[in-house]
Each structure stands twice: as C-alpha cells, then as structure tokens.
Amino acid sequence: MTTIGMIGIGMMGHGIASNLLKHGQSLTVLEHPGNQPLDALLAAGARSCNTPQALAAQSDVIILCVTGTPQVEAVLLGEDGVLKGLRPGTIVIDCSTAVPASTEKVAALVIAQGGQFLDSPMTRTPKEAAEGRLNLLVGGDADLFERCRPILACFAENIVHTGPIGSGHRMKLLHNYVSLGTVTLLAEAAACAQRAGVDAHTFVEVLSKGGGWGAALDRLKPMITAGETSGLRFSMSNALKDLSYYHQMATDTQAERTVAEAIKNTLQTACHEGDPQALVPELVTLLAKRQNH
C-alpha cells in the first residue's frame, strides 16, 4: 500500500485528508497549530508526526496543501524540512497556490535528491473539498501524472494535466485572477448599486438574466441580498495573496497587467482598512461604506 504523508490540514486540506481515508489510503499528517482539528481524521485511522522531515522519512507520496510560496519553501527546504527526510522515488504533490518560478526551483531540488514532483493546485471551495469534488490542475511528467491519478481521484472530480512542472500553478493563477477579479468587479458594482438606491434583488435578477450571470454572481448573491458570507468562504488576505502572485507572474512574463493592478489595489486597501481575515463577500459592505472623491 502506498503511504501518503500530508502537510497542511486547513479548510481545504482537511477535506482532502478525509477523502483519502474514505478511499482506504494510508495517511500520516503533520501536526501544526494552523491545522483544523484532527480528531475525526485520527479516529478514521490517520497517524500524525511532528516534523516534515519525519513525515518524509515514512512517505511514498507527500501532499502539500499550505498557504503559499513561503510556506511551501519552508516545509520543503527548512532545517527539519521534507528534503532532509526525502527517500529516493518519493513523489511530492504540491496542491498549494504558489509562484511558478519558485515551484520550478523547489521541484528541481526535489528531483536532484531523487524525488519526483507534481504541482497540483486546486479550484473550488472547502465544501467541494469535503465532498471529494475538487478540480485539480496538474503540472509535471505525463507518465507520473497517470501513475498518481488514482490518488488524486480520491479527492477530485475534474483532473486536468496542464503540461510541464509549473504549468499547474500558472493555470491556477490565471483561473483565480479571472475568478476573484470578477468577484471584485461585482462587489464594486453591488456597492455602487447600494449607494445609488438600486434594489439588491433587482440588481441580482437583472445581472443573472444577462451578461453578468456566472459563478461569481452566484457566490456573491447571499451577501448582496441577505448580508450572508456563505457563498464564498475565502479570506481577503488569501485573495490578495493570489492576485499578488498573479501580478508577479505577469511581471515576470512582461504581460499586460493594468486591470490586475486595479484589482490587487482594491484588495490591498480592503485588507488595510478592514480585517484581512474577513471573507471576500464582505468586500461589498466595505466598498459601500467607502467614499471616493
């Protein structure tokens, strides 16, 4: 049986871990203060250990589901990191959102030590993670991707091979730029509608029957019409991180980024003026209160 080690049992990672266990996988998770409670996972048969090095020393496959590039580099390259315990042939699958240039760097270090690497960022939300219905965008060797597909299928509904190492993270940043950028645009429009006295239900109805319809509107609808954040459980700080990573990728490739800068600046101001851990739908309220002259 393949032994899987997992680092990052947050809102998304907890769903991934629970579905790996449901499919009978052997799982060890890293103890960390940022984890969601591990009780249910341990009761279902998961084991735990205290350092990435110790986890790597007993794992055939290591799945990372941490916040971003600094955390990926820390757990892989740190003093007691994965590379200190990595066994030849071990596969590292990075489901985090990261800067592609860093992904290529850490992948090269993993491979130089005899390991293998896939970047496999995900889309969708903690709800789909718990249901085992994530979307995965996988960069890496095609044969390795096919070998790992049964493991990925334990927690994902749609799995796309995007190309070589780094392409998964590039596609994830493109996706989140479009997704979060659309949400930010709609939040600004909804805030303007509030200040202009446009009825919230009318606003949503008209957009949903025309060119404004889409996932972004569906996710913001509970906030616009009822003041509820349930449609998108994603923090402002995470949104800013993803847009900052996209901006870095666009800068590195000398791509046009005028709109991206405006969206990043909106999220940056929201994090500065409000609670960075507030959920993205709360942007509607924050923008409605702000006055621009």
Side-chain angles (χ1 to χ4, degrees):
M1 179 182 289
T2 299
T3 302
I4 300 174
M6 188 165 175
I7 300 174
I9 313 298
M11 285 197 296
M12 300 294 281
H14 195 280
I16 292 173
S18 65
N19 279 288
L20 287 168
L21 291 167
K22 285 176 187 174
H23 283 81
Q25 299 289 350
S26 173
L27 181 67
T28 301
V29 299
L30 180 71
E31 296 271 4
H32 190 274
N35 285 345
Q36 295 289 302
L38 298 180
D39 297 2
L41 300 180
L42 297 174
R47 298 173 300 280
S48 68
C49 64
N50 293 321
T51 69
Q53 179 178 356
L55 181 139
Q58 57 184 284
S59 300
D60 303 312
V61 174
I62 300 167
I63 297 175
L64 309 181
C65 189
V66 296
T67 304
T69 290
Q71 293 78 19
V72 171
E73 293 185 354
V75 299
L76 288 177
L77 313 180
E79 187 174 330
D80 57 358
V82 165
L83 287 187
K84 294 291 177 66
L86 192 73
R87 302 185 302 188
T90 294
I91 303 165
V92 176
I93 302 176
D94 183 12
C95 293
S96 315
T97 300
V99 176
S102 172
T103 300
E104 292 169 340
K105 178 185 76 174
V106 298
L109 292 171
V110 168
I111 292 167
Q113 197 159 312
Q116 303 174 83
F117 192 96
L118 294 173
D119 52 303
S120 183
M122 51 204 161
T123 69
R124 293 187 166 171
T125 71
K127 176 179 180 291
E128 287 83 18
E131 295 168 349
R133 297 179 50 248
L134 289 171
N135 296 331
L136 297 180
L137 317 170
V138 189
D141 177 79
D143 290 339
L144 179 61
F145 165 70
E146 290 300 335
R147 282 169 48 205
C148 291
R149 185 191 284 271
I151 292 173
L152 301 176
C154 291
F155 57 89
E157 181 177 40
N158 300 301
I159 305 171
V160 178
H161 184 229
T162 55
I165 289 171
S167 63
H169 280 143
R170 289 187 173 89
M171 190 63 241
K172 171 63 183 291
L173 295 180
L174 288 162
H175 173 276
N176 277 24
Y177 169 50
V178 173
S179 175
L180 293 168
T182 306
V183 166
T184 304
L185 182 151
L186 284 171
E188 188 172 277
C192 181
Q194 273 190 38
R195 293 178 68 90
V198 174
D199 177 75
H201 289 86
T202 302
F203 174 80
V204 170
E205 180 184 4
V206 170
L207 289 182
S208 66
K209 292 179 178 177
W213 174 83
L217 181 63
D218 286 345
R219 289 171 177 173
L220 275 187
K221 180 179 176 179
M223 185 69 196
I224 296 169
T225 59
E228 297 177 359
T229 60
S230 57
L232 181 55
R233 301 197 61 76
F234 198 75
S235 71
M236 300 268 201
S237 61
N238 270 336
L240 176 59
K241 175 207 69 178
D242 288 4
L243 264 294
S244 298
Y245 286 1
Y246 174 83
H247 189 271
Q248 181 63 53
M249 181 176 76
T251 301
D252 289 346
T253 56
Q254 298 183 324
E256 178 58 42
R257 53 192 179 274
T258 304
V259 176
E261 286 181 357
I263 296 166
K264 181 170 74 75
N265 290 341
T266 298
L267 292 168
Q268 204 160 20
T269 302
C271 287
H272 177 73
E273 292 182 356
D275 177 6
Q277 298 310 309
L279 299 178
V280 169
E282 296 178 57
L283 192 58
V284 175
T285 303
L286 192 149
L287 293 176
K289 291 178 179 176
R290 186 189 298 165
Q291 293 193 45
N292 285 325
H293 301 285

